[in-house]
Amino acid sequence: MEPFLELIKKPDNVPILAILFLIPFFLWLSYKQARQTDRTGVPSDAALNDKVYVWPYLCRNEFICAIIIMLILGVWSIMIDAPLEEPSDPAKTPNPSKAPWYFLALQEMLVYFDPWIAGVVLPGLIIAGLIAIPYIDINPKGKGYYTLKERPFAIAVFCFGFLILWIVLMIVGTFLRGPGWNIFWPWEEWDPHRVVPLTNVNLSYLFGIRDDLTANFFGFAVVAGYFALGPIFYFWKSKSSKFLQELGLIRYVVVSFLFLAMMALPIKMILRLALNIKYVWVTPWFNI
Amino acid sequence: MNEERKGLKEKITNSDIWKSIFRHSYEDTGRRYTLQILQNVWLHLHPPRISRHALHFRFTWCMGGITFLMFLVTAVTGVLLMFYYRPTAEYAFPDIQALEFDIPFGMLLRNMHRWAAHGMVISVMLHMFRVFLTGSYKKPREFNWAVGVILLLITFFLSFTGYLLPWDQLAYWAVTVGTNMARATPVLGHEGPFAPPDITQANDVRFALLGGTIVGPSTLLRFYILHCVAVPLVASLLMALHFWRVRKDGGISGPL
């Protein structure tokens, strides 16, 4: 229990504790409004034309908001001191070494993927995917109000990525990772000598493939097949689905690639945690 | 007495000096409310009028504004901190200690800077979440969403570069862990896939970021300059663009 309490008391973890309350609050707030819109319909234009002067109405709100936030920040700054540990020492590596809290989801991905994927390719895809959102989401509805009914897929995917793959992994990395980057539950003592048996095997091994070349091709087939699921689904459904026709092949390929790339993380997590899979595809140059 | 005061007030507000500074009256009319926004350099990015729903906390969560406020707080406290801090390996840590123990309000200054930075990371993430949930990135605001994504990255990078500056164990190892990923950059990192043989520890992309093969004094100087000059400049320019585009893309989104 003690290491967990230490973690909670760490001043740099205060933001995560704040997030634990802020995210549910704002989820509730937006859900309430989405339900309201979905039940009563989109607010009419008449309400939109109801204009007010920015001075004083908006400026007053901004001013009050700024005062409240400065009060919170002031109290926070008086109550809790910024951390300062011993002087830096390149010869003394702490265990665990953690990145700042907002990068812990990325550090968490390192457990499941090699650094070039977890540290470079996936973050790059997150950025590219975020920027691509407005260009691949062609649904004109749900602009300027909360709704669930009019864009269920977009909201579900974004919430999964943001809430589960970013926020939850960040919390796991902060509070549950101990020495050796092993999982330690809050009630457990941190044991720096804990031995975790490395029984992980590659996916090809699980399928009884023992020779490297076959394993290489097998891995390629699995990964290529996984990313081919998108286009296959397109050609299977595009005749009958009006939505897919409107989306077009190029947009669809981008959407399905980004979506499958995102889902690769939870899939790899499940493979690792449930089946002890190390790599899906092993080559002399890189492993996935 | 009252009459006298009124006369004096009129005399002052009608003087050339007063009129040269304040361009409009303070009567309660729509014309003056409009001028109040149009003729004020700090407020002029606002439109004179907005739709009523944009005032509601439940719609905007105020998160964009809070992010900007946090940026301003870190800018002000950051400039003050720069008076007391030298970005060299021998002085950085003692300077932070001096801030904590010797300099009046030094600890408060440092606390405000650090917590405002953390607050900015939280508020910018929530801002993005809100903009997504209200579909505010949709036509015609696609490009501004892209600018916002870049600003999100810049916020992370500002916070990350600042994390190193106290030069204590926490800072040193957090940045070591954070920058280790750059080793594995495909082609450009010496441990990454497809790295050509002449890419080594001493000339790859991580070396460019750190100014060395490990986090050292030159990393401290690099991160200091990035943190205090280069990145805030880029952030300010992009923020100006971001706010301008909110206005030019039809103001804050609403049901239309």
Side-chain angles (χ1 to χ4, degrees):
Chain A
M1 202 67 195
E2 262 160 46
F4 183 69
L5 292 179
E6 284 295 305
L7 281 178
I8 291 216
K9 279 192 288 187
K10 268 197 175 175
D12 259 359
N13 290 340
V14 170
I16 308 210
L17 291 178
I19 279 178
L20 284 179
F21 293 99
L22 287 171
I23 296 264
F25 170 71
F26 283 116
L27 270 179
W28 167 78
L29 191 66
S30 47
Y31 179 71
K32 209 177 69 165
Q33 292 173 84
R35 281 288 301 275
Q36 173 86 22
T37 328
D38 290 345
R39 227 180 298 133
T40 60
V42 180
S44 69
D45 287 349
L48 229 213
N49 288 332
D50 184 13
K51 292 228 171 181
V52 293
Y53 284 105
V54 163
W55 183 280
Y57 298 105
L58 177 64
C59 289
R60 179 186 61 194
N61 284 11
E62 288 173 344
F63 187 59
I64 293 171
C65 176
I67 288 177
I68 293 172
I69 295 296
M70 288 310 288
L71 262 176
I72 295 172
L73 184 67
V75 171
W76 186 2
S77 303
I78 291 167
M79 304 282 284
I80 302 177
D81 282 345
L84 189 68
E85 297 183 354
E86 307 152 51
S88 69
D89 183 354
K92 213 166 110 191
T93 313
N95 185 11
S97 298
K98 290 190 183 182
W101 58 272
Y102 39 82
F103 284 153
L104 283 184
L106 298 179
Q107 202 174 350
E108 192 62 24
M109 294 200 300
L110 279 170
V111 177
Y112 306 99
F113 286 109
D114 278 0
W116 71 278
I117 302 185
V120 185
V121 174
L122 284 179
L125 282 178
I126 295 172
I127 298 162
L130 282 174
I131 291 179
I133 285 174
Y135 303 100
I136 53 184
D137 178 7
I138 55 164
N139 178 3
K141 286 187 196 151
K143 179 162 60 185
Y145 52 92
Y146 294 90
T147 175
L148 281 170
K149 234 199 248 161
E150 293 177 7
R151 38 200 292 258
F153 179 72
I155 290 193
V157 172
F158 192 85
C159 283
F160 182 74
F162 179 64
L163 298 175
I164 309 291
L165 297 184
W166 188 255
I167 300 289
V168 171
L169 285 189
M170 206 159 79
I171 291 166
V172 169
T174 307
F175 293 125
L176 300 184
R177 290 292 181 183
W181 209 254
N182 290 314
I183 289 273
F184 287 89
W185 296 104
W187 53 88
E188 282 182 310
E189 291 300 321
W190 274 14
D191 172 13
H193 307 294
R194 176 193 277 196
V195 179
V196 180
L198 288 172
T199 52
N200 296 336
V201 294
N202 297 329
L203 189 65
S204 53
Y205 189 91
L206 201 72
F207 279 83
I209 299 167
R210 295 293 181 271
D211 125 73
D212 281 354
L213 197 65
T214 326
N216 191 338
F217 279 110
F218 172 79
F220 169 75
V222 172
V223 173
Y226 175 67
F227 281 102
L229 284 177
I232 290 170
F233 182 78
Y234 183 83
F235 289 113
W236 176 43
K237 278 280 180 192
S238 65
K239 286 264 162 53
S240 58
S241 160
K242 214 172 157 221
F243 173 73
L244 284 183
Q245 284 162 13
E246 264 173 43
L247 193 62
L249 183 61
I250 293 176
R251 274 204 209 91
Y252 176 82
V253 166
V254 175
V255 173
S256 73
F257 174 72
L258 289 170
F259 178 72
L260 290 169
M262 182 176 100
M263 294 314 286
L265 177 63
I267 288 173
K268 187 80 191 278
M269 289 169 81
I270 292 167
L271 284 177
R272 174 68 58 81
L273 297 172
L275 299 171
N276 289 325
I277 298 298
K278 187 158 194 236
Y279 292 120
V280 172
W281 181 16
V282 181
T283 77
W285 309 280
F286 60 84
N287 305 313
I288 291 176
Chain B
M1 182 63 196
N2 223 352
E3 283 299 304
E4 254 175 53
R5 208 184 277 165
K6 215 173 174 188
L8 185 65
K9 188 186 160 200
E10 237 157 62
K11 214 171 183 181
I12 292 173
T13 52
N14 281 332
S15 70
D16 282 349
I17 296 177
W18 181 274
K19 278 176 150 177
S20 73
I21 303 170
F22 304 104
R23 293 297 195 192
H24 55 78
S25 67
Y26 282 88
E27 76 235 344
D28 277 341
T29 62
R31 180 185 139 79
R32 177 240 146 168
Y33 292 152
T34 308
L35 288 176
Q36 181 90 30
I37 297 296
L38 291 183
Q39 301 199 333
N40 185 312
V41 65
W42 313 115
L43 298 175
H44 81 283
L45 272 183
H46 292 99
R49 298 197 305 159
I50 52 165
S51 55
R52 192 181 286 278
H53 86 280
L55 293 178
H56 293 146
F57 170 79
R58 64 171 185 268
F59 181 72
T60 65
W61 308 353
C62 294
M63 279 304 160
I66 292 173
T67 308
F68 183 51
L69 177 69
M70 292 295 102
F71 179 78
L72 293 179
V73 172
T74 47
V76 172
T77 53
V79 168
L80 293 174
L81 285 169
M82 282 170 81
F83 290 130
Y84 301 106
Y85 177 83
R86 287 163 289 181
T88 58
E90 55 270 55
Y91 289 128
F93 185 79
D95 281 354
I96 299 286
Q97 279 181 316
L99 262 172
E100 294 200 353
F101 299 114
D102 302 337
I103 293 152
F105 298 108
M107 188 80 227
L108 183 66
L109 205 56
R110 176 159 131 74
N111 292 348
M112 276 189 88
H113 190 75
R114 195 178 186 97
W115 302 143
H118 281 343
M120 188 171 162
V121 173
I122 297 177
S123 57
V124 80
M125 291 196 303
L126 287 172
H127 176 57
M128 187 183 72
F129 193 43
R130 191 287 287 180
V131 169
F132 185 88
L133 287 181
T134 55
S136 304
Y137 57 83
K138 296 188 177 193
K139 215 170 195 169
R141 299 182 179 81
E142 303 101 314
F143 179 67
N144 214 14
W145 166 269
V147 175
V149 173
I150 305 295
L151 277 168
L152 171 83
L153 298 179
I154 285 181
T155 307
F156 285 145
F157 192 61
L158 269 175
S159 190
F160 184 63
T161 48
Y163 215 84
L164 181 67
L165 303 186
W167 204 238
D168 61 343
Q169 279 288 74
L170 182 70
Y172 186 89
W173 289 100
V175 169
T176 299
V177 168
T179 52
N180 260 344
M181 316 244 187
R183 288 171 195 272
T185 314
V187 187
L188 294 175
H190 71 282
E191 283 175 10
F194 313 116
D198 39 351
I199 290 274
T200 65
Q201 180 145 279
N203 63 10
D204 69 349
V205 63
R206 179 169 164 276
F207 187 90
L209 185 63
L210 297 185
T213 51
I214 61 163
V215 175
S218 38
T219 317
L220 185 59
L221 186 60
R222 268 175 206 219
F223 273 40
Y224 177 76
I225 291 167
L226 287 171
H227 183 75
C228 301
V229 185
V231 187
L233 267 178
V234 178
S236 307
L237 289 174
L238 284 178
M239 264 187 262
L241 176 62
H242 196 61
F243 301 162
W244 173 255
R245 285 299 289 249
V246 170
R247 175 84 189 275
K248 289 290 152 182
D249 293 342
I252 186 166
S253 67
L256 195 66

